[in-house]
Amino acid sequence: MMLTLRTLAMLAVSILPGCQAAIDLLVHSSGGNATSPIAYGLMHEDINNSGDGGIYAELIRNRAFQGSEKFPSSLEAWTPFNGASALSLKKLCTPLSAALPYSLNVAPKSATTQQGKIGIVNSGFWGMDVRAEQKYSGSFYVKGGYEGHFTASLQSVITGEVFAAVKVEGVSSGETGGWVRREFTIVPGKTAGNSNNTFAITFDAAGVKNGSLNFNLISLFPPTYKNRPNGLRIDIAEALAELKPKFLRFPGGNMLEGDTLTTYWKWNETIGPLKDRPGMAGVWQYQLTTGLGLVEYMEWCDDMNLEPIVAVWDGLALDGNYVPQSQIGEVVQYALDELEFLTGDAATTKWGAVRASLGHPRPWKIKYVEIGNEDWLAGRPTAYDTYKQYRFQAFLTAFNDKYPNIQVIASPSVFDGMVIPAPGAGDYHPYLTPDKFVAAFDKFDNLSKQNLTLIGEAAATHPNGGIGWDGNLMANPWWGGSVGEAIFLIGAERNSEKVIGATYAPGLRNLNRWQWGMTLLQHAADPALTTRSTSWHVWRLLGSHVLTQTLPVTAQSGGIRPLYYVAGKSEGTHVFKAAVYNATQPVEISLRFEGMTAKGQTAALTVLRGPQDPYGVNDPFTQINVVNETTLAVAADEGGVFRFSLPHLSVAVLELAGN
Ligand SMILES: *[C@@H]1O[C@H](CO)[C@@H](O)[C@H](O)[C@H]1NC(C)=O
Ligand SMILES: *[C@@H]1O[C@H](CO)[C@@H](O)[C@H](O)[C@H]1NC(C)=O
Ligand SMILES: *[C@@H]1O[C@H](CO)[C@@H](O)[C@H](O)[C@H]1NC(C)=O
Ligand SMILES: *[C@@H]1O[C@H](CO)[C@@H](O)[C@H](O)[C@H]1NC(C)=O
Ligand SMILES: *[C@@H]1O[C@H](CO)[C@@H](O)[C@H](O)[C@H]1NC(C)=O
Ligand SMILES: *[C@@H]1O[C@H](CO)[C@@H](O)[C@H](O)[C@H]1NC(C)=O
Ligand SMILES: *[C@@H]1O[C@H](CO)[C@@H](O)[C@H](O)[C@H]1NC(C)=O
Ligand SMILES: *[C@@H]1O[C@H](CO)[C@@H](O)[C@H](O)[C@H]1NC(C)=O
Ligand SMILES: *[C@@H]1O[C@H](CO)[C@@H](O)[C@H](O)[C@H]1NC(C)=O
């Protein structure tokens, strides 16, 4: 085996004598800034089946044959139960609802096969997870006469083995003519060995009264996070909750804007019974069910204790078209209606009453509203000019009048060349190389407090020396990139009175359909593939030690680079966060907290170290976590000095109890 240059370089580093002088740091007991309790959070939009087929727990793909001009209704994911079944998409004169005009017609293929079992099979979002003793809640609508019973079942594609089957009542003669809803539960007796499974509804051709049956809104949910009906997939939601997030920015992202001025995310079409939701043409190459709609996003916030950052549509589409000044008032009113839906009194407001009718009589509290998404990008420079000239101001004025306690956030930041009128805040979305993240460590130092900023999306996307946006986007979050993010975040935390919070994006990636490698979590139908990325580990460590106050640090010797750090207080503890980048040998640190001088007092030091290769990733298919996390107790020397060392490309948090 030949030694590569890289391994030689590493050997050279590891045999250097540890003669470097320690960096001597003193954390002062006062003189810092109180910071807002919002810190690390989440951002979500339905990007490439991270909603449908991702965190939204529905197992049936194309459950209601929703379509649009861009993605016409189809039978995608559906196949006939056996050779004897004929399936067709029908637009009946009596559809299930105005929102769901298409349905699935099932007939025997020919007169000669009228005696057999016929039906429909759904392949799910590239498979389905089938687990013993779990309760799967299903339902469907059917139209037509049928004497007999339906069978709803889960089975293996590979072996044909049926894991569970239940009988569902047929359609009596009194019910024919209209659509009838059937509910059922399936509890498999056995766990499937893999996720190559399907869901089927079958019935006897002989019992069909009128040649065929029509089906729509065929749904099957496994147990959900906090048992919410129409809720979230448990393993994905739990992996996000482990990050201890404080806010959720939704519903986008590009999904909010839509491709054209008529296909934006219409909040009013994402609420109410599923049968009244038409879905929408997604901007990531597929039709969205909007089953994960406005109310479901709010329930997600409730269940994970997140502060919602509600992004409202502001009259910009991804094709660069924008609403003229003469019509912006209508768009503002549409957003005010959305806020009334969320926060209005159930008895005295129109939209508050609608919310109450959907099972949420108590108004939600909203502290943050963001006006649009990345208005500096689509249709620039003209569309961006309209944002600066009239679109943002129209929203800011209206929201300040009606909701003076809501912090309005502009979708660009001061770094995108916008002077944001008071009392607005901005939103900054860095997608950078690790070197550029490190170089941005002091990005916020000279920012004035008037330029309060959200970091509403961030991720290391390209390797150092990257050749441009489309050139060499990385296929996965990688350790060196994740450390770069950590240093940028530490820089933001030093200025956290100017930073509302920070979130990685996109947070979820479906292994079956993706382009962007960047993600906190990878997922597929099989929960065994749910994989926490290198960045997940970094954001979790930093995000689960929120500073409520920063404290000044003086370096008696050494300074910033290659060690980057911030110190502060957090609920009864002192916290020191640090990361090392571009060090030629481990960094020796001696750290003191003013006024806490007891010898022998112990602090908990958690260190994340990466693989030898800075390009190492957490691969769902090997399930090897390349991030090594260790926590150990460090005892203070004379004078309360904590001595420890941190290697190149590491991220650490030291926590000392006491105020
Ligand atoms: C507190 O805020 C002021 C003003 O923004 C800043 O100059 C100072 O560095 C901050 N102190 C700490 C410890 O972050
Ligand atoms: C039976 O089929 C005929 C012809 O398609 C239709 O007019 C009628 O409504 C159907 N009856 C039922 C009960 O579905
Ligand atoms: C099983 O599912 C996996 C993941 O979707 C897929 O790659 C594989 O081809 C499937 N195998 C069969 C036999 O269907
Ligand atoms: C939702 O609101 C938009 C904008 O006002 C409107 O065009 C659309 O018709 C509404 N949808 C429904 C179902 O009322
Ligand atoms: C890290 O070191 C490399 C190689 O010397 C250099 O090119 C790069 O600019 C450094 N990055 C930072 C952020 O210091
Ligand atoms: C911040 O301002 C100081 C003093 O004017 C200057 O030395 C420093 O380069 C500035 N930093 C950034 C990141 O702009
Ligand atoms: C921040 O906001 C003020 C007031 O809008 C502006 O004058 C200043 O240039 C902005 N920029 C920075 C970097 O603080
Ligand atoms: C989304 O999926 C489609 C189809 O696989 C792909 O063409 C597209 O590049 C993906 N986009 C993203 C952002 O992953
Ligand atoms: C993690 O790092 C510690 C400290 O360097 C080391 O003792 C341990 O063996 C490492 N564990 C793994 C799984 O690499």
Side-chain angles (χ1 to χ4, degrees), residues 607 609 625-630 632 647:
V607 183
R609 295 175 181 82
N625 175 19
V626 300
V627 182
N628 177 343
E629 174 169 338
T630 53
L632 53 100

Side-chain angles (χ1 to χ4, degrees), residues 264 268-269 334:
Y264 57 95
N268 55 320
E269 296 185 358
Y334 183 63

Side-chain angles (χ1 to χ4, degrees), residues 338-571:
E338 181 176 354
L339 262 287
E340 185 178 285
F341 174 81
L342 293 172
T343 65
D345 182 77
T348 60
T349 67
K350 174 188 161 191
W351 287 109
V354 174
R355 184 199 62 245
S357 77
L358 301 178
H360 287 276
R362 274 186 44 205
W364 279 294
K365 289 196 175 64
I366 303 293
K367 286 212 260 186
Y368 297 92
V369 167
E370 181 161 357
I371 310 306
N373 173 63
E374 296 185 345
D375 279 271
W376 48 271
L377 186 57
R380 70 182 162 194
T382 318
Y384 190 12
D385 287 343
T386 68
Y387 190 80
K388 296 176 186 166
Q389 285 157 5
Y390 63 85
R391 287 192 292 122
F392 180 67
Q393 188 62 57
F395 282 86
L396 184 65
T397 305
F399 274 87
N400 285 334
D401 280 357
K402 188 145 188 214
Y403 301 103
N405 296 324
I406 287 182
Q407 172 66 61
V408 175
I409 302 171
S411 75
S413 73
V414 63
F415 306 121
D416 304 303
M418 177 155 174
V419 177
I420 297 166
D427 185 1
Y428 177 53
H429 292 181
Y431 289 110
L432 301 173
T433 66
D435 266 355
K436 285 188 176 149
F437 266 127
V438 175
F441 175 71
D442 43 18
K443 181 108 194 161
F444 299 99
D445 288 359
N446 291 350
L447 198 67
S448 70
K449 276 189 189 166
Q450 291 91 301
N451 291 304
L452 184 68
T453 296
L454 172 71
I455 301 164
E457 299 183 17
T461 44
H462 292 75
N464 290 331
I467 55 168
W469 187 250
D470 296 320
N472 51 354
L473 201 59
M474 293 291 281
N476 286 286
W478 71 107
W479 179 243
S482 304
V483 176
E485 292 159 12
I487 289 165
F488 173 73
L489 292 168
I490 288 170
E493 286 203 41
R494 291 168 74 94
N495 294 282
S496 51
E497 76 281 8
K498 309 166 198 168
V499 179
I500 296 172
T503 171
Y504 190 96
L508 302 177
R509 161 173 148 189
N510 192 318
L511 287 165
N512 290 292
R513 185 206 275 266
W514 61 277
Q515 171 192 30
W516 276 55
M518 303 315 123
T519 192
L520 291 168
L521 287 178
Q522 313 217 37
H523 58 87
D526 182 355
L529 294 175
T530 299
T531 306
R532 291 150 177 79
S533 72
T534 54
S535 291
W536 183 93
H537 289 273
V538 162
W539 288 68
R540 188 197 53 79
L541 180 64
L542 297 178
S544 49
H545 297 87
V546 171
L547 301 182
T548 48
Q549 185 187 337
T550 54
L551 291 171
V553 182
T554 24
Q556 315 294 100
S557 70
I560 295 285
R561 295 178 180 84
L563 178 73
Y564 301 78
Y565 52 81
V566 63
K569 285 188 191 178
S570 171
E571 289 157 12

Side-chain angles (χ1 to χ4, degrees), residues 107-402:
K109 209 161 197 173
S110 71
T112 57
T113 57
Q114 264 174 11
Q115 297 308 313
K117 231 179 160 193
I118 61 173
I120 50 179
V121 178
N122 189 276
S123 54
F125 291 92
W126 304 279
M128 287 181 197
D129 182 48
V130 175
R131 240 145 251 273
E133 311 311 331
Q134 273 198 22
K135 187 172 144 193
Y136 293 77
S137 310
S139 61
F140 59 86
Y141 285 86
V142 59
K143 184 176 180 300
Y146 173 55
E147 192 177 303
H149 61 76
F150 298 102
T151 302
S153 61
L154 287 163
Q155 51 276 313
S156 165
V157 177
I158 299 168
T159 64
E161 180 179 3
V162 176
F163 301 109
V166 290
K167 287 183 181 178
V168 183
E169 182 192 348
V171 187
S172 69
S173 53
E175 294 174 310
T176 54
W179 285 93
V180 294
R181 184 164 189 265
R182 291 288 176 256
E183 282 184 26
F184 57 91
T185 54
I186 303 184
V187 182
K190 187 178 168 185
T191 295
N194 54 54
S195 61
N196 295 66
N197 308 306
T198 58
F199 169 75
I201 299 174
T202 56
F203 50 97
D204 276 320
V208 178
K209 292 295 172 202
N210 205 13
S212 67
L213 292 175
N214 301 292
F215 292 87
N216 209 343
L217 195 45
I218 303 137
S219 172
L220 187 69
F221 274 83
T224 57
Y225 186 62
K226 307 258 165 121
N227 286 316
R228 280 276 180 197
N230 197 38
L232 307 182
R233 193 174 123 173
I234 291 176
D235 64 322
I236 294 180
E238 283 180 346
L240 292 179
E242 285 167 32
L243 294 162
K244 304 259 170 64
K246 300 291 182 289
F247 67 83
L248 176 66
R249 173 174 172 254
F250 67 88
N254 293 7
M255 182 171 109
L256 174 69
E257 298 166 81
D259 288 315
T260 70
L261 287 182
T262 57
T263 58
Y264 57 95
W265 189 81
K266 297 191 183 76
W267 67 267
N268 55 320
E269 296 185 358
T270 73
I271 58 173
L274 296 180
K275 82 174 182 24
D276 296 326
R277 301 191 198 180
M280 74 174 264
V283 299
W284 304 105
Q285 313 305 324
Y286 61 108
Q287 183 76 14
L288 304 178
T289 67
T290 67
L292 178 57
L294 180 56
V295 168
E296 288 76 18
Y297 275 119
M298 293 304 299
E299 290 172 342
W300 175 354
C301 291
D302 287 347
D303 290 345
M304 247 180 236
N305 202 12
L306 306 173
E307 191 69 51
I309 298 184
V310 183
V312 298
W313 188 63
D314 70 353
L316 175 70
L318 290 174
D319 65 8
N321 281 303
Y322 54 85
V323 171
Q325 189 159 11
S326 59
Q327 288 162 29
I328 201 67
E330 293 164 37
V331 184
V332 171
Q333 187 56 49
Y334 183 63
L336 290 173
D337 288 348
E338 181 176 354
L339 262 287
E340 185 178 285
F341 174 81
L342 293 172
T343 65
D345 182 77
T348 60
T349 67
K350 174 188 161 191
W351 287 109
V354 174
R355 184 199 62 245
S357 77
L358 301 178
H360 287 276
R362 274 186 44 205
W364 279 294
K365 289 196 175 64
I366 303 293
K367 286 212 260 186
Y368 297 92
V369 167
E370 181 161 357
I371 310 306
N373 173 63
E374 296 185 345
D375 279 271
W376 48 271
L377 186 57
R380 70 182 162 194
T382 318
Y384 190 12
D385 287 343
T386 68
Y387 190 80
K388 296 176 186 166
Q389 285 157 5
Y390 63 85
R391 287 192 292 122
F392 180 67
Q393 188 62 57
F395 282 86
L396 184 65
T397 305
F399 274 87
N400 285 334
D401 280 357
K402 188 145 188 214

